[in-house]
Structure formats: C-alpha cells, structure tokens
Amino acid sequence: MNKRHSAPGTHSSYLLSAESAFLTREDYKMLRTNLAFSLPGSGAKCIGVTSSARGEGKSTTIINLAISFGQIGKKVLLVDGDLRLPTVAQKTELPSSPGFTDVLAGQCSFDEAVQHQEALGIDVLTASILPPDPTNLMESQQMEDFINEAKQRYDYIFIDLPPIGIVTDALIISRLVDGFLFVVRHNQSSFRAVSDALKQSRFARAKILGFVYTNDELSGSRKYYYYNQSGAASPKGFFSRLLRRK
Amino acid sequence: MEQMTQAPLRRRNAFPDQIRIDKMETTDNRLHRAKQQPEQIDLMELALVLLKKAWLIVLAASLGASCAFGWSKLSIAPTYRAQFSAMIFNSNEHVNENGQLSASEISVAKYLTVTYTKILTSRPVIETISEKLNISASYEAVAKLVTVKAVEDTQIIEVTVTAHSPETAYLIAQEIADLGPATVTDLIEGSRMKIINQPVMPTGSSGPNYIQYALRGLLLGGAAASGLILLLYFLDDRIHSKDELERKFGISVIGSIHDMSRTTGGYGYSYASRPTGKEGR
C-alpha cells in the first residue's frame, strides 16, 4: 500500500478536519450515526453515494463521511467509482493513478493501487485512467471480486458514483452495495430530476438508505445557537474576529 | 407458568425471515406510499413564502397606488354634481281619518316613480333643455348626465345632474326642475310633482374619488405581486427544504450538511473554546 502524507493545512477547507467548524463536524457525526443505524448487523458495509445531477456535493460528502468514520477508528476505503468525472484524487490531493480501473483491468494488485492518506486517516482508491466504456467495467466479475476483497479488509467501503440521472453506472452495482446515499442539494436539485433518478433506482431494486441534504441553510434555533456561540451576530464578536485575523 | 410466558415469544419468532422482509422497506414501497398520499398545499408554507417577499408586495402595492392616483389625477377630469328632490302625488290618493296616505297609495306612487324617471329623461325634455342652454351634445350624451333615483319607502325622487362644469350641472338641473312638474302633469293626468329642494350651484367637485383609485391601485399592485410570487413558487421545481423532500418521496433525510462556506473558519462553538469564567460549570 502506498502511504501518502500531506502537510496539515494543505487540504481544502471543505474537507473535514479538527479545524472545521463545530457545526460541520456535528453534521457529519450525525450522518455517520444515522448511517450506522441504517445498516445494522456485523460485517463490512459497502455504501454507494449518488445524486440526480452533477455538482450537488456528492464527492465532498462521501470524502468527509469516510473521514468521519476514520476518526472513530474504523477501517475505511474510499473508492472513486465515478469513472466519467472523477474528483476524489484532486480533492484528497493524491495522484490519480494507480487506481480503481487499474485493479479492475488487472494492471495492478489491490495493495498496489490503494493509497493511504495519512492526513485524512483513510485509504483511497482513485479512479486512474478513464475507460472508454465504464459500464463494462462495473458489470464485470472483477468488480464483484474487488468488492468482496475490500469487504474482507475494511469496515466501511464508500464508493463515489456518477449521478443516476445521467448514467446508469451506479445502478449496475446496486446488487453489490448494501445501499445508496442519495445526495440532494438545497435550492439546486430539482424534484423532477430526483423523482426520475428514484424511479430508475426502483427498477434496479436499489436500496436507498436515505437522502443527504447538502448546502442546507442555518435556520431557527440552530442558527441562533450557532451564531450566538460563535459571536458572529454581535459587534463584539465581529471586532474580536477582526483583531484575531490581524 | 414458564410455558405461559414463553408462548408469546414463540409466536413472535414463528417466521423470522418473513418478519425481516416486511421490515425491510424498499425504495419501491416508500415511493409508492409517498405517491398514495394526496398532494397537499400547506397554507402556512404559502404564507411564509409571501412573508419572505413582503418587501416586494409592499413595493408593488405602493407603486400601484401611486400609478393609479397619478393616472386618475392626470387623465380623469373632475365632475360636479347638482341635485334637487321632488315629491310626486297621485290625484286618486285618498287620505284617511288621520290625514295619512294608505299603504296601497304609497305603493302606487312608488310604481309611478319609475314612470316619472323615464319622463324626466325623455327625449322631448332633454332636447328642450339642450336647445335652451345651447348644448350641442346629442340627446344620449345629455341624458347620460341625468340620474333619477327614488328614495326608498317614500314618494320622493332625487334628480342628480353630473357634468364636467359646475355651471352646466346646475343649469341642466334647474331646467329639469322647471320643466318637470308641467311635463308630468301633462303626460299623466291628475298627477303632480312638487319640488322640495331647488338645485344649487356646486361649490366643489364630486369626483373622481382619487383615494378610491389609489386604493384600487394598492390592492391591484399587491395582488399582482402576490400572484406572481405564488406562480413562481409553484413553477419552481427546486428543492427548498428537507421536509419538502421527505414529504414528496417518503424517504428519510439521514444527514444534513450545512453550507460550509458559512460554517468554516474555526469560529464555531466547540467545547474547547468555552467562554472564560464558565469552566467547570
């Protein structure tokens, strides 16, 4: 296994870390807990993350969720299964190859392809070279073998998948995963697109574990609580922040 | 005793596999269940939508009121009203011992008021007045200025002349008051019409009611803005809340990630950054 260690602070601000805002950390803790309860029973869990369209926060959500599980000592593998538009390598600041397609094509072994991201505390399998027809790879026996092998080594396997509304890759592996998390972005995802994607998942008999609602607004008591504690609403807090920045 | 307590347990676990299948609610089931629930419009939600855009409604209402007021002021000429009232009598009226008219006499007189109304706005009367006052307008145009109304439960009629000049309104009303009694007596044998109040020259305009126009503009502007906001709300296919999402698809939201651009920065509440003086509480 390749070990990578990025210097602290080089990762983007949207990745979960000890420096992330309290509310963000709480959001992922909540998601982690709810997901753990959604998949009862022992044994490794393989979870796919998808959405209805691009740009809904799918990859960021799955990376942070994997980090969140890693923080509680679980052995986590994050797989970039979006073989159309992979972003995991870029977001986790890892080289894109060797990776997932190399393993499926038999170009390298599982151990050679998996990279350990020390700063994030998780193992990552980036997409690597994009195949002309990713559907074939997803349907292959190698894919099934890969999942089975990963399940023997890890507690949680998270697969970042392309949006259901655009391509069928996610649904092809529905029989291999324990369930899907469906990412919906506030004020962006459309009812029609989500409805169509869910209809397709119904035909494929895919199990949707639940929605993950991204870019949510702070509202009600939580907004008051957060801002009150952070001091953002009071002039004193504002000035103290200015002073601290200097 | 032991057998009795164990019996229900055995029944509950009789078909464990079947129970597990029932509990595993598939996406198919949940979608089907969500579809079966009728679409409901939450009035509170609509009220909140309007409340959020209250500034736009107020702006549109103010704009509507200003436009309506300005338009009525600029394009509608003021009108003046001259009025007189008259009493009508039937020759066959019989007064009782107390010197009062019977109910049947009043009803006949009321019936005749309609006839008098027609007579006072008849072509011969109006044309005579036009000729006398040198009014070049057609009969229909002049007749339109005159309205005759019966006062309820009385034998009194009120004649109102509305014109764009106070003199015209007054002169027409005066001419009708002069010609009316004689014309009525000529046409309906034995009937009489007696003027109660002579018309007077109007001192101020009677219309248009600019405030009413402004209020109409206010309502129209507010209603148009509200309608547009609701139309855009219903046409908007985007998902705006978790509740909406759960209600529509019947699938739970198991995680909600807040806008990270607003929550990052490290200034959020945490147990490590308790306010000074609060330690150990």
Coordinates of all heavy atoms in Angstrom, one line a residue, chain B residues 151-208:
Chain B
V151 N -86.3 57.7 -3.6 CA -85.9 57.5 -2.2 C -86.8 56.4 -1.6 O -88.0 56.4 -1.7 CB -86.0 58.8 -1.4 CG1 -85.6 58.5 0.1 CG2 -85.1 59.8 -2.0
E152 N -86.2 55.4 -1.1 CA -86.9 54.2 -0.6 C -88.0 54.5 0.4 O -87.8 55.3 1.3 CB -85.9 53.2 0.0 CG -86.3 51.7 -0.3 CD -85.1 50.8 0.0 OE1 -84.0 51.1 -0.3 OE2 -85.5 49.8 0.6
D153 N -89.1 53.8 0.3 CA -90.3 53.9 1.2 C -90.8 55.3 1.3 O -91.4 55.7 2.3 CB -89.9 53.5 2.6 CG -89.6 52.0 2.6 OD1 -90.1 51.2 1.8 OD2 -88.7 51.6 3.4
T154 N -90.6 56.1 0.2 CA -91.2 57.5 0.2 C -91.7 57.7 -1.2 O -91.5 56.9 -2.1 CB -90.1 58.6 0.5 OG1 -89.2 58.5 -0.5 CG2 -89.5 58.4 1.9
Q155 N -92.3 58.9 -1.4 CA -92.8 59.3 -2.7 C -91.8 60.3 -3.3 O -92.2 61.1 -4.2 CB -94.2 59.9 -2.6 CG -95.3 58.9 -2.3 CD -96.5 59.7 -1.9 OE1 -96.8 60.0 -0.8 NE2 -97.3 59.9 -2.9
I156 N -90.6 60.4 -2.7 CA -89.7 61.4 -3.1 C -88.7 60.8 -4.2 O -88.3 59.7 -4.1 CB -88.9 61.9 -1.9 CG1 -89.9 62.5 -0.9 CG2 -87.8 62.9 -2.3 CD1 -89.3 62.8 0.5
I157 N -88.4 61.6 -5.2 CA -87.4 61.3 -6.2 C -86.2 62.3 -6.1 O -86.5 63.5 -5.7 CB -87.9 61.2 -7.6 CG1 -88.6 62.5 -8.0 CG2 -88.9 60.0 -7.8 CD1 -88.9 62.6 -9.5
E158 N -85.0 61.8 -6.4 CA -83.9 62.7 -6.4 C -83.3 62.7 -7.8 O -83.0 61.7 -8.4 CB -82.8 62.1 -5.4 CG -83.0 62.5 -4.0 CD -82.0 62.0 -3.0 OE1 -81.1 61.2 -3.5 OE2 -82.0 62.3 -1.8
V159 N -83.2 63.9 -8.3 CA -82.6 64.1 -9.6 C -81.2 64.7 -9.5 O -81.0 65.7 -8.8 CB -83.5 65.0 -10.5 CG1 -82.9 65.2 -11.9 CG2 -84.9 64.5 -10.6
T160 N -80.2 64.0 -10.1 CA -78.9 64.4 -10.0 C -78.3 64.6 -11.4 O -78.5 63.8 -12.3 CB -78.0 63.3 -9.3 OG1 -78.7 63.0 -8.0 CG2 -76.6 63.8 -9.0
V161 N -77.7 65.7 -11.6 CA -77.0 66.0 -12.9 C -75.5 66.1 -12.6 O -75.1 66.9 -11.8 CB -77.5 67.3 -13.5 CG1 -76.8 67.6 -14.9 CG2 -79.0 67.3 -13.7
T162 N -74.8 65.3 -13.3 CA -73.3 65.3 -13.2 C -72.7 65.8 -14.5 O -72.9 65.2 -15.5 CB -72.8 63.9 -12.8 OG1 -73.6 63.4 -11.7 CG2 -71.4 63.8 -12.4
A163 N -71.8 66.8 -14.4 CA -71.2 67.3 -15.6 C -69.7 67.8 -15.2 O -69.4 67.9 -14.0 CB -72.0 68.5 -16.1
H164 N -69.0 68.0 -16.2 CA -67.6 68.4 -16.0 C -67.5 69.9 -15.6 O -66.4 70.4 -15.3 CB -66.7 68.2 -17.2 CG -66.5 66.7 -17.4 ND1 -65.9 65.9 -16.5 CD2 -66.8 65.8 -18.5 CE1 -65.8 64.6 -16.9 NE2 -66.4 64.6 -18.1
S165 N -68.6 70.7 -15.8 CA -68.5 72.1 -15.3 C -69.7 72.3 -14.3 O -70.8 71.8 -14.5 CB -68.7 73.0 -16.6 OG -69.7 73.9 -16.4
P166 N -69.4 73.0 -13.3 CA -70.4 73.2 -12.3 C -71.6 74.0 -12.8 O -72.8 73.7 -12.4 CB -69.7 74.0 -11.2 CG -68.5 74.6 -11.8 CD -68.1 73.7 -12.9
E167 N -71.4 74.9 -13.8 CA -72.5 75.7 -14.3 C -73.4 74.8 -15.1 O -74.6 74.9 -15.0 CB -71.9 76.8 -15.3 CG -71.2 78.0 -14.5 CD -69.8 77.6 -14.2 OE1 -69.2 76.7 -14.8 OE2 -69.2 78.3 -13.3
T168 N -72.8 74.0 -16.0 CA -73.7 73.1 -16.8 C -74.5 72.2 -15.9 O -75.7 72.1 -16.2 CB -72.8 72.2 -17.7 OG1 -71.8 73.0 -18.3 CG2 -73.5 71.5 -18.8
A169 N -73.9 71.6 -14.9 CA -74.7 70.7 -14.0 C -75.8 71.5 -13.3 O -77.0 71.0 -13.3 CB -73.7 70.2 -12.9
Y170 N -75.5 72.7 -12.9 CA -76.6 73.5 -12.2 C -77.7 73.9 -13.2 O -78.9 73.7 -12.8 CB -75.9 74.7 -11.6 CG -76.9 75.7 -11.1 CD1 -77.7 75.5 -10.0 CD2 -77.1 76.9 -11.8 CE1 -78.7 76.4 -9.6 CE2 -78.1 77.9 -11.4 CZ -78.8 77.6 -10.2 OH -79.8 78.5 -9.8
L171 N -77.3 74.4 -14.3 CA -78.3 74.9 -15.3 C -79.2 73.7 -15.8 O -80.5 73.9 -15.9 CB -77.6 75.5 -16.5 CG -77.0 76.9 -16.2 CD1 -76.2 77.4 -17.3 CD2 -78.1 77.9 -15.8
I172 N -78.6 72.5 -16.1 CA -79.5 71.4 -16.5 C -80.4 71.0 -15.4 O -81.6 70.8 -15.6 CB -78.6 70.2 -17.0 CG1 -77.8 70.6 -18.2 CG2 -79.5 69.0 -17.2 CD1 -76.8 69.6 -18.7
A173 N -79.9 70.9 -14.2 CA -80.8 70.5 -13.0 C -81.9 71.6 -12.8 O -83.0 71.2 -12.6 CB -79.9 70.4 -11.8
Q174 N -81.6 72.8 -13.0 CA -82.6 73.9 -12.8 C -83.6 73.8 -13.9 O -84.8 73.9 -13.6 CB -81.8 75.2 -12.9 CG -82.7 76.4 -12.5 CD -83.3 76.4 -11.1 OE1 -82.5 76.4 -10.2 NE2 -84.6 76.2 -11.0
E175 N -83.2 73.5 -15.1 CA -84.2 73.4 -16.2 C -85.1 72.2 -16.0 O -86.3 72.3 -16.3 CB -83.5 73.2 -17.6 CG -82.8 74.5 -18.1 CD -83.9 75.6 -18.3 OE1 -85.0 75.4 -18.7 OE2 -83.5 76.8 -17.9
I176 N -84.6 71.1 -15.5 CA -85.4 69.9 -15.3 C -86.4 70.2 -14.2 O -87.6 69.9 -14.3 CB -84.6 68.7 -14.9 CG1 -83.7 68.2 -16.1 CG2 -85.4 67.5 -14.5 CD1 -82.7 67.2 -15.8
A177 N -85.9 70.9 -13.1 CA -86.8 71.3 -12.0 C -87.9 72.2 -12.5 O -89.1 72.2 -12.0 CB -86.0 72.0 -10.9
D178 N -87.6 73.1 -13.5 CA -88.6 74.0 -14.0 C -89.6 73.3 -15.0 O -90.8 73.5 -14.9 CB -87.9 75.1 -14.8 CG -87.2 76.1 -13.9 OD1 -87.4 76.0 -12.7 OD2 -86.3 76.8 -14.4
L179 N -89.1 72.4 -15.8 CA -89.9 71.7 -16.8 C -90.6 70.5 -16.3 O -91.7 70.2 -16.7 CB -89.0 71.3 -18.0 CG -88.6 72.3 -19.0 CD1 -87.6 71.7 -20.0 CD2 -89.8 72.8 -19.8
G180 N -90.0 69.8 -15.3 CA -90.5 68.6 -14.8 C -92.0 68.6 -14.4 O -92.8 67.8 -14.9
P181 N -92.4 69.4 -13.4 CA -93.8 69.4 -12.9 C -94.8 69.5 -14.0 O -95.8 68.8 -14.1 CB -93.8 70.6 -11.9 CG -92.4 70.7 -11.5 CD -91.6 70.4 -12.7
A182 N -94.6 70.5 -14.9 CA -95.6 70.7 -16.0 C -95.6 69.5 -16.9 O -96.7 69.0 -17.3 CB -95.2 72.0 -16.8
T183 N -94.5 68.9 -17.3 CA -94.4 67.8 -18.2 C -95.1 66.6 -17.6 O -95.9 65.9 -18.3 CB -93.0 67.4 -18.5 OG1 -92.3 68.6 -18.8 CG2 -92.9 66.4 -19.7
V184 N -94.9 66.4 -16.3 CA -95.5 65.2 -15.6 C -97.0 65.4 -15.6 O -97.8 64.4 -15.9 CB -94.9 65.1 -14.2 CG1 -95.8 64.2 -13.3 CG2 -93.5 64.6 -14.3
T185 N -97.5 66.6 -15.3 CA -98.9 66.8 -15.2 C -99.5 66.7 -16.6 O -100.6 66.1 -16.7 CB -99.2 68.2 -14.6 OG1 -98.3 68.4 -13.4 CG2 -100.6 68.4 -14.2
D186 N -98.8 67.1 -17.6 CA -99.4 67.0 -19.0 C -99.5 65.5 -19.4 O -100.5 65.1 -20.0 CB -98.4 67.7 -20.0 CG -98.6 69.2 -19.9 OD1 -99.5 69.7 -19.2 OD2 -97.8 69.9 -20.6
L187 N -98.5 64.8 -19.1 CA -98.5 63.4 -19.5 C -99.4 62.4 -18.7 O -100.0 61.5 -19.2 CB -97.1 62.8 -19.6 CG -96.2 63.5 -20.7 CD1 -94.7 63.0 -20.5 CD2 -96.7 63.1 -22.1
I188 N -99.3 62.6 -17.4 CA -100.1 61.7 -16.5 C -101.2 62.6 -15.9 O -100.9 63.4 -15.0 CB -99.3 61.1 -15.4 CG1 -98.1 60.4 -16.0 CG2 -100.1 60.1 -14.6 CD1 -97.0 59.9 -15.0
E189 N -102.4 62.3 -16.4 CA -103.5 63.2 -15.9 C -103.7 63.1 -14.4 O -103.8 62.0 -13.8 CB -104.7 62.7 -16.7 CG -105.8 63.8 -16.8 CD -107.0 63.4 -17.6 OE1 -106.8 62.8 -18.7 OE2 -108.1 63.7 -17.2
G190 N -103.8 64.2 -13.8 CA -104.1 64.3 -12.4 C -102.9 64.2 -11.5 O -103.0 64.3 -10.3
S191 N -101.7 63.9 -12.1 CA -100.5 63.7 -11.2 C -99.8 65.0 -11.0 O -99.9 65.9 -11.9 CB -99.6 62.7 -11.9 OG -100.1 61.4 -11.8
R192 N -99.1 65.1 -9.9 CA -98.4 66.4 -9.6 C -97.0 66.1 -9.2 O -96.7 65.0 -8.6 CB -99.2 67.1 -8.5 CG -100.4 67.9 -9.0 CD -101.0 68.7 -7.9 NE -101.4 68.0 -6.8 CZ -101.0 68.3 -5.5 NH1 -100.2 69.3 -5.3 NH2 -101.5 67.6 -4.5
M193 N -96.1 67.0 -9.4 CA -94.7 66.9 -9.0 C -94.4 68.2 -8.3 O -94.5 69.2 -9.0 CB -93.8 66.6 -10.2 CG -92.4 66.5 -9.8 SD -91.4 66.1 -11.3 CE -89.9 66.6 -10.8
K194 N -93.9 68.1 -7.1 CA -93.7 69.3 -6.4 C -92.2 69.3 -5.9 O -91.7 68.3 -5.3 CB -94.5 69.4 -5.1 CG -94.6 70.8 -4.5 CD -95.7 70.8 -3.4 CE -95.8 72.2 -2.8 NZ -96.7 72.2 -1.7
I195 N -91.5 70.4 -6.3 CA -90.0 70.4 -6.0 C -89.8 70.7 -4.5 O -90.5 71.6 -3.9 CB -89.3 71.6 -6.8 CG1 -89.6 71.4 -8.3 CG2 -87.8 71.6 -6.5 CD1 -89.1 70.1 -8.9
I196 N -89.0 69.9 -3.8 CA -88.8 70.1 -2.4 C -87.5 71.0 -2.2 O -87.6 72.0 -1.6 CB -88.6 68.7 -1.7 CG1 -89.8 67.8 -1.9 CG2 -88.3 68.9 -0.2 CD1 -89.5 66.3 -1.4
N197 N -86.4 70.5 -2.8 CA -85.2 71.3 -2.7 C -84.8 71.8 -4.1 O -84.6 71.0 -5.0 CB -84.0 70.5 -2.2 CG -84.2 70.0 -0.8 OD1 -84.8 70.8 0.0 ND2 -83.8 68.8 -0.5
Q198 N -84.6 73.1 -4.3 CA -84.2 73.6 -5.5 C -82.7 73.3 -5.7 O -81.9 73.2 -4.7 CB -84.4 75.1 -5.6 CG -85.8 75.6 -5.8 CD -86.4 75.2 -7.1 OE1 -85.7 75.1 -8.1 NE2 -87.7 75.1 -7.2
P199 N -82.2 73.1 -7.0 CA -80.8 72.8 -7.2 C -80.0 74.0 -6.8 O -80.4 75.2 -7.0 CB -80.7 72.5 -8.6 CG -81.9 73.0 -9.3 CD -83.0 73.0 -8.2
V200 N -78.8 73.8 -6.4 CA -77.8 74.9 -6.1 C -76.5 74.7 -6.8 O -76.2 73.6 -7.2 CB -77.5 75.0 -4.5 CG1 -78.7 75.5 -3.7 CG2 -77.0 73.6 -4.0
M201 N -75.8 75.8 -7.1 CA -74.6 75.7 -7.8 C -73.5 74.9 -7.0 O -73.3 75.3 -5.8 CB -74.1 77.1 -8.0 CG -72.8 77.2 -8.8 SD -72.9 76.9 -10.5 CE -73.4 78.5 -11.1
P202 N -73.0 73.8 -7.6 CA -72.0 73.1 -6.8 C -70.7 73.9 -6.6 O -70.3 74.6 -7.4 CB -71.7 71.9 -7.7 CG -72.2 72.2 -9.0 CD -73.2 73.3 -8.9
T203 N -70.2 73.8 -5.3 CA -69.0 74.6 -5.0 C -67.7 73.8 -5.1 O -66.7 74.3 -5.3 CB -69.2 75.1 -3.5 OG1 -69.5 74.0 -2.7 CG2 -70.2 76.2 -3.4
G204 N -67.9 72.5 -5.0 CA -66.7 71.6 -5.1 C -66.9 70.5 -6.0 O -68.1 70.2 -6.3
S205 N -65.8 69.8 -6.5 CA -66.0 68.7 -7.4 C -66.5 67.5 -6.6 O -66.2 67.3 -5.4 CB -64.7 68.3 -8.1 OG -63.7 67.9 -7.1
S206 N -67.3 66.7 -7.3 CA -67.8 65.5 -6.6 C -67.0 64.2 -7.0 O -67.2 63.2 -6.4 CB -69.3 65.3 -7.1 OG -69.3 65.1 -8.5
G207 N -66.2 64.3 -8.0 CA -65.5 63.2 -8.4 C -64.3 63.6 -9.3 O -64.2 64.7 -9.7
P208 N -63.4 62.7 -9.7 CA -63.4 61.3 -9.3 C -62.8 61.2 -7.9 O -62.2 62.1 -7.4 CB -62.4 60.7 -10.3 CG -61.5 61.8 -10.7 CD -62.3 63.0 -10.7

